[in-house]
Amino acid sequence: MWVASVILWQETLRGRVRAYTKMVNIAQHMLQLNNFNSLMAILAGINTSAIYRLKFTREQIPNATKQTLEELTDLMDPTQSYGNYRQKLHDVDPPCVPFLGTYLTDITFIEDGNPDWIQGLINYRKRELVYSVIREIQQYQQQSYTDDFVNIAHFLTELASNDEEKLYELSLIREPRGASLDQLL
């Protein structure tokens, strides 16, 4: 919600374009830091309905920023079980912060798709599959970032933001339905 809030707190079209561009740049830095969880959070903020409906803001985004956003979106595309992301994740050197949503999805599918018992015995294969997911998460916890990154964590947890309803209201104020570009400049 913070990403969408920062963009919508900007009263001018130019300010929203600058904030939007800044968020894409931050997402690019998250990729460079191998912080896929934060990358996905920023992309989710950019893709909220309150931001997505800002047609004139999106039109004013520089082409280089649009290209970067498209590349990041392609990387984190959920098709083929996040295949592009999983390949990138396995190619990076630690430290990294994986996107935990994929692991939660994997565990859910393992739990729902496999019986707990087979012929009155514990389904050991199901437990092995769950363990393999947990082991992969643990491997990314072996190497941490420097203290400089850890100190910023407290700051990030205290960021102000609006709820979805307020964000959508702000979105309608910033770019009313049926407005023209001339009315926003």
Side-chain angles (χ1 to χ4, degrees):
M1 294 299 177
W2 175 75
V3 170
S5 295
V6 168
I7 295 168
L8 288 170
W9 287 337
Q10 310 307 311
E11 293 183 6
T12 65
L13 177 62
R14 183 177 180 188
R16 285 190 299 281
V17 169
R18 288 177 50 166
Y20 192 109
T21 301
K22 179 62 115 180
M23 291 302 147
V24 173
N25 290 337
I26 292 171
Q28 179 67 33
H29 285 290
M30 292 299 105
L31 176 60
Q32 292 168 354
L33 292 170
N34 299 326
N35 187 337
F36 298 101
N37 205 59
S38 294
L39 168 59
M40 189 61 148
I42 292 169
L43 292 177
I46 288 172
N47 287 310
T48 61
S49 60
I51 299 301
Y52 192 78
R53 66 169 297 282
L54 299 175
K55 177 176 86 170
F56 297 114
T57 301
R58 285 187 292 117
E59 287 174 355
Q60 299 293 315
I61 301 298
N63 287 334
T65 301
K66 289 178 184 176
Q67 179 64 33
T68 300
L69 180 59
E70 185 177 327
E71 291 169 5
L72 296 173
T73 302
D74 287 346
L75 174 65
M76 301 307 289
D77 186 357
T79 58
Q80 296 181 343
S81 189
Y82 290 91
N84 295 338
Y85 156 70
R86 289 178 193 262
Q87 182 61 49
K88 176 74 173 175
L89 180 63
H90 291 144
D91 292 343
V92 300
D93 293 323
C96 82
V97 179
F99 171 53
L100 295 176
T102 57
Y103 298 107
L104 297 174
T105 300
D106 291 348
I107 289 174
T108 299
F109 278 112
I110 292 167
E111 283 293 325
D112 292 348
N114 296 285
D116 288 328
W117 302 91
I118 297 177
Q119 298 176 353
L121 301 173
I122 292 175
N123 183 352
Y124 187 72
R125 179 66 185 137
K126 178 179 179 177
R127 304 306 183 258
E128 285 178 328
L129 291 170
V130 171
Y131 171 73
S132 70
V133 173
I134 294 169
R135 183 182 58 215
E136 186 172 339
I137 295 169
Q138 287 177 328
Q139 92 179 13
Y140 296 117
Q141 295 175 335
Q142 298 304 311
Q143 186 173 350
S144 62
Y145 289 98
T146 63
D147 291 339
D148 295 338
F149 293 109
V150 174
N151 291 336
I152 201 168
H154 176 70
F155 168 76
L156 293 175
T157 60
E158 301 298 321
L159 292 173
S161 64
N162 295 101
D163 63 25
E164 273 188 73
E165 188 175 320
K166 179 66 175 170
L167 287 172
Y168 203 81
E169 289 172 12
L170 270 173
S171 178
L172 290 170
I173 291 169
R174 300 298 185 237
E175 287 190 22
R177 290 185 180 108
S180 68
L181 181 58
D182 293 333
Q183 293 171 314
L184 299 176
L185 295 176

